[in-house]
C-alpha cells in the first residue's frame, strides 16, 4: 500500500492546473478535487436562483442553501448541485465572469473551504487538490505544495484553445480577462491567490502538458518516498 499523500496545486487560470492535476492523480492512484468547480457551482446556483451576485450580503445569506457534491475520480470527476449534474452549466461565460465576485464573499469561502477539507480528509490513499488558495489556506499542512505559473500570453493562448469558434478568435480579450481575473483573485481580502512559502514553483510557459505532468509526478513520488 502506497503512503497516502496530499498534494496542493495552486496557480492562476490557464497554467494547466486541471489537466495536470487530473493526470497526476490518475497516474498515481490518487483522488482528485477541482476546487474551482465548486466555486463555479455555487455561482451557477446563485445565478439560477435570482441571487444578485454583486450584492455580498445576498450572496452570504444564500451561501448555505445549495448542496454541492464533488466526485473525486480523476478519470471522471463529477459535480452536482442539489442532485443536478452541473459539470456543463458551470463552464459558461456567464459563470466565468461572475465567479470571482462570489468567491470573494467570506461566508462562501468558509463554507467551501470546510467542504474541501472534509473531502481531502476522507480521501483514502491521498488526493490532488487544485485551486488558488489550497497551499495557503485550505490545506496548509499538505505534504506537497506546487504553484504553477505561465506567462499571460501562454495562458491566454491555452484558454483560447479551450474556447470554441468565435470566442477562440479573440486572443487579446482572453488575455485581458485572465489578467483582470488574476487581479481580482490576488487582491481579494479572503484567501487571495498566493504562492505558499514552501511551495515548489513550476513555470509551464515553455513546457508541454506531458512535461508538466512528468515534473509533478516526480515531485510527488519523491515526497511519497520520503514520508
Amino acid at each position: 500500500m502506497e503512503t497516502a499523500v496530499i498534494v496542493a496545486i495552486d496557480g492562476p487560470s490557464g497554467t494547466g492546473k486541471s489537466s495536470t492535476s487530473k493526470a497526476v492523480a490518475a497516474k498515481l492512484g490518487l483522488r482528485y478535487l477541482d476546487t474551482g468547480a465548486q466555486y463555479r457551482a455555487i455561482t451557477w446556483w446563485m445565478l439560477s436562483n435570482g441571487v444578485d451576485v454583486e450584492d455580498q450580503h445576498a450572496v452570504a445569506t444564500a451561501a448555505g442553501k445549495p448542496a454541492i457534491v464533488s466526485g473525486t475520480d480523476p478519470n471522471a470527476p463529477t459535480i452536482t448541485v442539489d442532485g443536478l449534474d452541473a459539470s456543463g452549466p458551470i463552464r459558461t461565460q456567464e459563470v466565468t465572469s461572475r465567479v470571482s465576485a462570489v468567491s470573494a464573499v467570506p461566508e462562501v469561502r468558509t463554507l467551501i473551504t470546510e467542504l474541501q477539507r472534509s473531502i481531502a480528509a476522507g480521501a483514502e490513499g491521498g488526493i490532488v487538490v487544485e485551486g488558488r488558495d489550497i497551499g495557503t489556506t485550505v490545506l496548509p499542512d499538505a505534504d506537497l505544495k506546487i504553484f504553477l505559473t505561465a506567462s499571460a500570453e501562454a495562458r491566454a493562448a491555452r484558454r483560447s484553445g479551450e474556447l470554441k469558434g468565435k470566442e477562440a478568435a479573440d486572443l487579446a480579450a482572453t488575455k485581458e480577462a485572465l489578467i483582470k481575473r488574476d487581479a481580482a483573485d490576488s487582491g481579494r481580502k479572503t484567501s487571495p491567490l498566493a504562492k505558499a512559502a514552501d511551495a515548489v514553483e513550476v513555470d509551464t510557459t515553455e513546457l508541454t502538458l506531458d512535461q508538466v505532468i512528468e515534473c509533478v509526478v516526480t515531485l510527488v513520488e519523491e515526497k511519497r518516498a520520503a514520508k
Side-chain angles (χ1 to χ4, degrees):
M1 178 72 189
E2 291 278 11
T3 312
V5 62
I6 291 180
V7 183
I9 299 186
D10 290 305
S13 311
T15 48
K17 269 200 320 273
S18 295
S19 309
T20 300
S21 302
K22 270 188 280 207
V24 168
K27 279 192 169 185
L28 296 174
L30 301 170
R31 308 309 289 173
Y32 159 75
L33 179 62
D34 173 1
T35 65
Q38 295 177 315
Y39 285 107
R40 285 173 170 275
I42 199 165
T43 303
W44 173 64
W45 183 90
M46 298 270 175
L47 293 167
S48 303
N49 286 275
V51 177
D52 177 359
V53 296
E54 300 301 325
D55 179 345
Q56 288 213 349
H57 180 71
V59 169
T61 304
K65 292 179 182 173
I68 297 169
V69 178
S70 296
T72 57
D73 176 353
N75 295 307
T78 57
I79 186 153
T80 62
V81 182
D82 295 339
L84 297 171
D85 175 15
S87 51
I90 63 170
R91 301 291 168 189
T92 61
Q93 189 53 47
E94 186 186 18
V95 171
T96 300
S97 63
R98 298 284 193 273
V99 67
S100 287
V102 174
S103 305
V105 176
E107 290 82 354
V108 170
R109 293 208 81 80
T110 299
L111 273 168
I112 302 277
T113 296
E114 283 172 5
L115 178 61
Q116 291 161 1
R117 285 178 180 155
S118 68
I119 292 169
E124 283 186 24
I127 190 168
V128 177
V129 183
E130 58 129 322
R132 284 168 164 70
D133 65 338
I134 311 307
T136 51
T137 302
V138 181
L139 300 169
D141 299 326
D143 298 302
L144 175 64
K145 299 174 190 177
I146 291 167
F147 195 84
L148 295 184
T149 62
S151 70
E153 284 76 15
R155 295 192 290 125
R158 288 171 194 166
R159 189 42 57 95
S160 282
E162 290 170 13
L163 300 170
K164 301 289 176 273
K166 181 163 64 73
E167 291 184 37
D170 201 344
L171 192 60
T174 304
K175 182 180 165 186
E176 196 178 322
L178 279 178
I179 291 169
K180 194 173 162 189
R181 176 130 190 238
D182 291 347
D185 290 343
S186 304
R188 64 166 178 251
K189 289 189 179 72
T190 312
S191 305
L193 162 66
K195 180 187 161 195
D198 53 347
V200 179
E201 187 167 322
V202 178
D203 187 333
T204 70
T205 307
E206 303 293 333
L207 303 177
T208 64
L209 179 59
D210 284 342
Q211 287 172 321
V212 179
I213 292 164
E214 197 177 320
C215 170
V216 175
V217 164
T218 304
L219 289 168
V220 177
E221 285 178 330
E222 284 171 359
K223 185 58 73 172
R224 227 184 207 172
K227 273 191 86 173

